[in-house]
Amino acid sequence: MDLITIEHFILERQQQGFPSATGDFTQLLYDITFAAKIISREVNKAGLVEILGKTGRKNIQGEQVQKLDEFADGVIQRAMDHTGRLCAMASEEVEDVILIPKKYKCGKYVLLFDPLDGSSNIDVNVSVGSIFSIHRKISDKRRGSLEDCLQPGYKQIGAVYVVYGSSTMMVYSTGDGVHGFTLDPSVGEFLLSHENIKIPENGNLYSVNEGNYHYWGDGARKFIDYLKSKSNHAGKPYSLRYIGSMVADLHRTLLNGGIFLYPLDYKNPEQPSGKLRLLYEAAPMAFIFEQAGGRASDGYRNITEIQPTELHERTPLIIGSKSDVDLAEQFIQGKS
Ligand code: P6P
């Protein structure tokens, strides 16, 4: 395979597809690449320096904030806030919209991100990831606003995830296919390793936390029982793979096919909910999976069709090979 850096690949696609473009969007993708390299360096040495300790603080999700969470959030904000490309940001680690300081130019894009998803796995050396969603500014406000952040997934103009695993990989789509790049840390370059990723039509893997089985609705339980039966459409039971780190689980699902689920659960009977975040986890992943020929649903509708009402709202997520997601919906909706 030719040695093609992510910067070269992105620029070439911009020149081919949008010759009159200003290059701002391309520069934004470069900025994300830069932040990912810095986060990768810290994640990969986390076990070597006293950074694994907890900060003693909790984020708005009530989760113990790991120092690397804070570090990743800070790197992204500091890499982005002065570039003049963004009008606003939103982070899993920050309760409110992050507005661009008045001393900097306000740009035409919005960046929503989970700086380090799955961070509870850091201490046990399990792969973690960063997820980014990019929208255009839509409000008529001079600076950015919550309105610019609360857009449905089909309006995204780009989505990126980075998985910090045995190697660090960046996977992105700007609506023209899905492309993967692997970091060569010795030169600090992401090199093209997976051009035009397409999710296999069918998989034989399912990925779900079965510990929640008794909290799901009947349809979800019946679907998982079906996948495990010998008389399912595949004629043999699916295998279970669950890491408990969304980016790692979804990266495997994208490459190998099959289905990942975090269904609606009734742990709180008065307020059944999903766990995963719509704006900066489910929606960008849904955009990427759709671009790779897959699907993403909340059990009833496409994730990318959901109109967000809150910055940190949660959603059930069923994502993977289209046929598997279609089937899951049939069961969840009681049609199978
Ligand atoms: P559970 C990690 O905390 C995370 O947000 C996702 O990365 C992951 O898919 C999910 O939660 C795992 O949740 O309830 O199975 O531990």
Side-chain angles (χ1 to χ4, degrees):
M1 182 176 274
D2 296 340
L3 284 181
I4 300 174
T5 65
I6 190 168
E7 288 84 357
H8 176 87
F9 187 87
I10 291 170
L11 184 59
E12 202 173 64
R13 292 277 169 139
Q14 177 214 306
Q15 287 165 344
Q16 286 166 359
F18 310 90
S20 59
T22 61
D24 256 4
F25 182 52
T26 294
Q27 285 293 342
L28 172 54
L29 292 172
Y30 291 174
D31 298 339
I32 293 172
T33 304
F34 170 64
K37 290 175 187 174
I38 295 179
I39 296 168
S40 176
R41 181 195 62 202
E42 290 306 308
V43 166
N44 287 320
K45 72 181 184 185
L48 304 174
V49 297
E50 188 34 58
I51 196 168
L52 291 177
K54 303 201 185 309
T55 60
R57 286 197 315 105
K58 290 188 181 303
N59 66 14
I60 63 132
Q61 328 296 346
E63 294 162 347
Q64 182 69 39
V65 179
Q66 299 270 358
K67 280 182 180 173
L68 271 177
D69 272 354
E70 278 188 325
F71 174 81
D73 181 56
V75 164
I76 296 165
Q77 290 195 45
R78 291 198 313 270
M80 303 289 168
D81 64 1
H82 58 283
T83 63
R85 291 187 261 280
L86 299 180
C87 68
M89 288 185 264
S91 166
E92 180 181 39
E93 295 300 324
V94 179
E95 185 160 3
D96 299 318
V97 177
I98 302 162
L99 295 180
I100 301 304
K102 288 197 169 33
K103 63 184 176 183
Y104 299 132
K105 176 172 161 285
C106 179
K108 57 188 177 184
Y109 300 113
V110 186
L111 184 70
L112 307 108
F113 55 90
D114 184 351
L116 206 60
D117 179 77
S119 56
S120 54
N121 293 297
I122 292 169
D123 288 1
V124 292
N125 207 17
V126 164
S127 300
V128 292
S130 304
I131 312 169
F132 301 87
S133 171
I134 307 171
H135 283 281
R136 286 191 183 83
K137 181 178 188 305
I138 55 171
S139 72
D140 54 10
K141 296 198 174 50
R142 250 179 44 72
R143 313 289 295 180
S145 68
L146 181 60
E147 180 190 352
D148 295 305
C149 298
L150 298 181
Q151 298 186 54
Y154 72 86
K155 288 191 173 177
Q156 291 175 99
I157 54 171
V160 183
Y161 71 79
V162 186
V163 54
Y164 310 101
S166 49
S167 60
T168 292
M169 266 198 74
M170 176 179 275
V171 176
Y172 87 90
S173 179
T174 55
D176 178 25
V178 177
H179 311 290
F181 301 79
T182 300
L183 182 64
D184 177 343
S186 65
V187 293
E189 291 288 0
F190 279 101
L191 302 177
L192 180 64
S193 54
H194 297 70
E195 185 169 5
N196 205 21
I197 297 172
K198 289 297 177 193
I199 186 169
E201 280 286 309
N202 302 292
N204 61 2
L205 299 175
Y206 73 102
S207 186
V208 70
N209 179 347
E210 291 228 27
N212 294 332
Y213 183 86
H214 295 295
Y215 291 116
W216 299 334
D218 280 347
R221 277 199 290 268
K222 285 179 180 155
F223 177 62
I224 296 301
D225 293 342
Y226 170 80
L227 290 187
K228 296 198 283 190
S229 75
K230 291 179 187 164
S231 54
N232 66 28
H233 58 279
K236 62 177 182 173
Y238 275 43
S239 295
L240 172 61
R241 294 285 183 278
Y242 193 69
I243 302 166
S245 185
M246 177 188 182
V247 176
D249 277 319
L250 290 194
H251 183 63
R252 181 203 56 248
T253 305
L254 183 69
L255 296 185
N256 292 354
I259 190 165
F260 170 94
L261 307 94
Y262 208 103
L264 186 78
D265 69 45
Y266 292 79
K267 283 180 185 166
N268 174 356
E270 283 76 52
Q271 197 184 7
S273 78
K275 173 178 183 180
L276 303 176
R277 316 294 170 198
L278 174 60
L279 277 173
Y280 41 78
E281 291 178 352
M285 285 309 205
F287 181 85
I288 287 170
F289 271 67
E290 286 177 359
Q291 279 289 313
R295 258 204 79 194
S297 166
D298 67 356
Y300 296 87
R301 53 193 167 159
N302 288 331
I303 291 291
T304 49
E305 288 164 4
I306 301 174
Q307 173 58 52
T309 54
E310 290 167 28
L311 210 50
H312 300 289
E313 75 182 66
R314 300 167 185 257
T315 178
L317 177 63
I318 295 104
I319 186 169
S321 298
K322 184 180 180 305
S323 56
D324 287 327
V325 175
D326 291 348
L327 190 58
E329 280 189 334
Q330 294 295 309
F331 276 85
I332 289 169
Q333 294 172 23
K335 295 172 182 168
S336 277

